[in-house]
Amino acid sequence: MRHGVPAALAALALAVTAALTLNPTAQAGPRPAPAPAPAAAAAAPAQFAHPGVLSSRAQLDFVRTKVLAGEEPWKSAFGAMLASPYASRSRAPKPRAVVECGSYSNPDNGCSDEREDAIAAYTDALAWYVTRDAAYAKKSIELMDAWSAKVKDHTNSNAPLQSGWAGSTWPRAAEIIKHTYTGGWPNQGRFAAMLRDVYLPEVVNGKPNSNGNWELIMMDAAIGISVHLDDRASYDKAMAIYLGRVPAYFYLASDGAQPAYPPRSTIDTRSELVEYWHGQSTFVDGLAQETCRDFGHTGMAIAATMHVAETLRIQGRDLYPQFKDRFRYALGFHAQYELGAKVPSWLCGGNLAKGIGPSTEVGYNALHTRLGVSMENTRKLTEGRRPAGTENHFEAWETLTHAENPN
């Protein structure tokens, strides 16, 4: 339904007033201008940049320079990565033809093995880039080859999400190895076929009616895979889903009296929306669709959102200026409670399940280091937990790759 201009202005004013009244943690100062509606997905770049999934060559060179110079926090972050089991030279891959993952990975028939082998391949790729020790590149290739020789399918209820987790990480490893290691990778084509035939079909169409972290993680995978495959059509499709999901997951008062309905879903009434937001009916700047579920899933959604934005920026479309307010409020809102701020009674009934994970480095770097946005709570949380490690799903070593990285 289209509303008249006076009615729309009145609704917007009411929403802004309500948000400021109900949100005692809102930042002082003028309200941010309403974010423009996401534009139709721009065409993929005529030529993809490689390596171009999460980290560019310039970003990787920055990391290598800092580690070799012994500077912090990169030195400690790199040391922690090498000391982890993921960097073990004796790691034996555990591929399966069919990975079966139920809700909360129960049953776990290859789910943890797949995610962790993907993280290990990425870990070894990063270690190769920094040290130029070919043994790390060969180990990364061994892990990728083992899975590309065997995996054919993902089954059970968590198949799309599992494909998103592992499918986000595999192309990060493959991009570094394919485009920087000169020692050869004979089975690279088979690995690319695995991404195209096994992972991409599971993730590229999204999951409209699930909690939003699913679709954001799936788009993290779809975008990364599309870059690695130079697949412009899948890239555009995933970008369009992402541009619709982000404003439906992270709320700003400028959106109106309530969040946007998740695109392509069956949710189209306020009561359904409140249920979808886990019973939360008061909406304030930075609130996320899963805040009242738990911070663990919300943190995954934050991480996936920033991963995609980072990859898109490398490929020539910088969304950070467009989504700056939405991102900074989302990070700051959750950071304050993760740091121990008192939870008001109107928020999730006064109870929050905290534990946001290592999810803030990429967004904090993009907004603070590059755009100069002041984010005190996010800074305290991010710097206080360095070096960020991995939550064993798809977030890994982001202090190393993105702390104070200007590129």
Side-chain angles (χ1 to χ4, degrees):
M1 178 183 296
R2 296 180 62 87
H3 297 282
V5 172
L9 291 175
L12 177 59
L14 179 62
V16 170
T17 301
L20 292 175
T21 300
L22 291 166
N23 185 2
T25 61
Q27 299 185 27
R31 289 282 318 130
Q47 184 173 355
F48 286 100
H50 298 291
V53 177
L54 189 57
S55 294
S56 66
R57 187 180 295 270
Q59 289 173 304
L60 292 168
D61 285 341
F62 173 86
V63 171
R64 183 168 191 260
T65 298
K66 292 296 185 182
V67 172
L68 295 182
E71 296 186 34
E72 296 291 358
W74 305 276
K75 177 184 176 182
S76 293
F78 187 66
M81 185 185 80
L82 290 188
S84 77
Y86 290 109
S88 172
R89 302 285 183 91
S90 61
R91 183 182 187 88
K94 299 177 181 178
R96 290 183 181 230
V98 177
V99 177
E100 182 189 7
C101 307
S103 181
Y104 291 91
S105 295
N106 182 22
D108 180 348
N109 293 323
C111 316
S112 298
D113 291 337
E114 180 184 38
R115 294 193 312 266
E116 292 173 11
D117 278 349
I119 292 172
Y122 177 51
T123 300
D124 288 322
L126 287 172
W128 143 253
Y129 198 90
V130 171
T131 66
R132 296 299 196 266
D133 182 343
Y136 285 118
K138 292 175 182 177
K139 192 65 183 181
S140 183
I141 290 170
E142 177 192 336
L143 291 160
M144 291 189 283
D145 281 356
W147 279 89
S148 70
K150 194 158 189 177
V151 69
K152 300 299 180 186
D153 199 10
H154 295 84
T155 64
N156 214 320
S157 59
N158 255 30
L161 183 57
Q162 174 72 18
S163 299
W165 281 326
S168 295
T169 311
W170 286 126
R172 296 175 205 160
E175 280 287 288
I176 294 172
I177 296 300
K178 179 180 178 181
H179 296 287
T180 72
Y181 176 61
T182 59
W185 182 9
N187 294 314
Q188 193 280 325
R190 188 180 72 197
F191 183 84
M194 175 193 79
L195 294 180
R196 182 180 60 249
D197 299 337
V198 179
Y199 292 89
L200 189 59
E202 283 279 3
V203 297
V204 75
N205 295 313
K207 195 76 171 173
N209 288 306
S210 295
N211 280 298
N213 83 86
W214 277 52
E215 197 154 86
L216 290 166
I217 292 166
M218 291 164 72
M219 292 312 103
D220 190 358
I223 288 285
I225 291 169
S226 297
V227 169
H228 189 65
L229 299 179
D230 294 305
D231 182 342
R232 301 177 79 249
S234 294
Y235 182 92
D236 285 351
K237 185 174 187 178
M239 183 190 290
I241 293 173
Y242 173 84
L243 290 174
R245 175 60 67 171
V246 169
Y249 191 88
F250 303 105
Y251 176 77
L252 276 182
S254 54
D255 295 335
Q258 66 182 40
Y261 293 116
R264 309 169 359 268
S265 78
T266 59
I267 299 167
D268 59 4
T269 68
R270 180 177 172 83
S271 62
E272 289 174 341
L273 192 72
V274 168
E275 181 180 1
Y276 184 60
W277 283 63
H278 298 275
Q280 181 69 14
S281 58
T282 299
F283 303 105
V284 297
D285 288 327
L287 188 77
Q289 182 254 316
E290 293 180 277
T291 300
C292 294
R293 181 187 184 191
D294 59 59
F295 275 26
H297 288 92
T298 303
M300 287 186 177
I302 289 172
T305 298
M306 303 308 168
H307 293 167
V308 173
E310 199 73 358
T311 296
L312 294 180
R313 180 178 179 271
I314 294 167
Q315 300 305 328
R317 183 170 183 184
D318 188 354
L319 293 178
Y320 287 116
Q322 174 182 335
F323 286 136
K324 177 179 68 176
D325 289 320
R326 198 173 298 275
F327 288 172
R328 73 183 178 99
Y329 277 105
L331 285 163
F333 180 83
H334 294 90
Q336 66 183 318
Y337 296 115
E338 192 77 5
L339 288 167
K342 183 178 179 181
V343 182
S345 59
W346 56 262
L347 177 60
C348 310
N351 294 296
L352 293 173
K354 294 184 285 186
I356 202 167
S359 61
T360 63
E361 283 279 13
V362 175
Y364 176 68
N365 180 65
L367 297 176
H368 178 72
T369 304
R370 296 198 198 116
L371 297 183
V373 177
S374 178
M375 306 170 68
E376 187 59 17
N377 284 328
T378 308
R379 181 194 68 77
K380 288 179 181 177
L381 180 65
T382 303
E383 293 182 355
R385 295 186 173 182
R386 285 177 175 168
T390 176
E391 35 65 277
N392 305 311
H393 289 80
F394 77 124
E395 303 166 52
W397 323 124
E398 292 173 11
T399 296
L400 177 66
T401 56
H402 285 82
E404 301 173 37
N405 198 322
N407 298 294

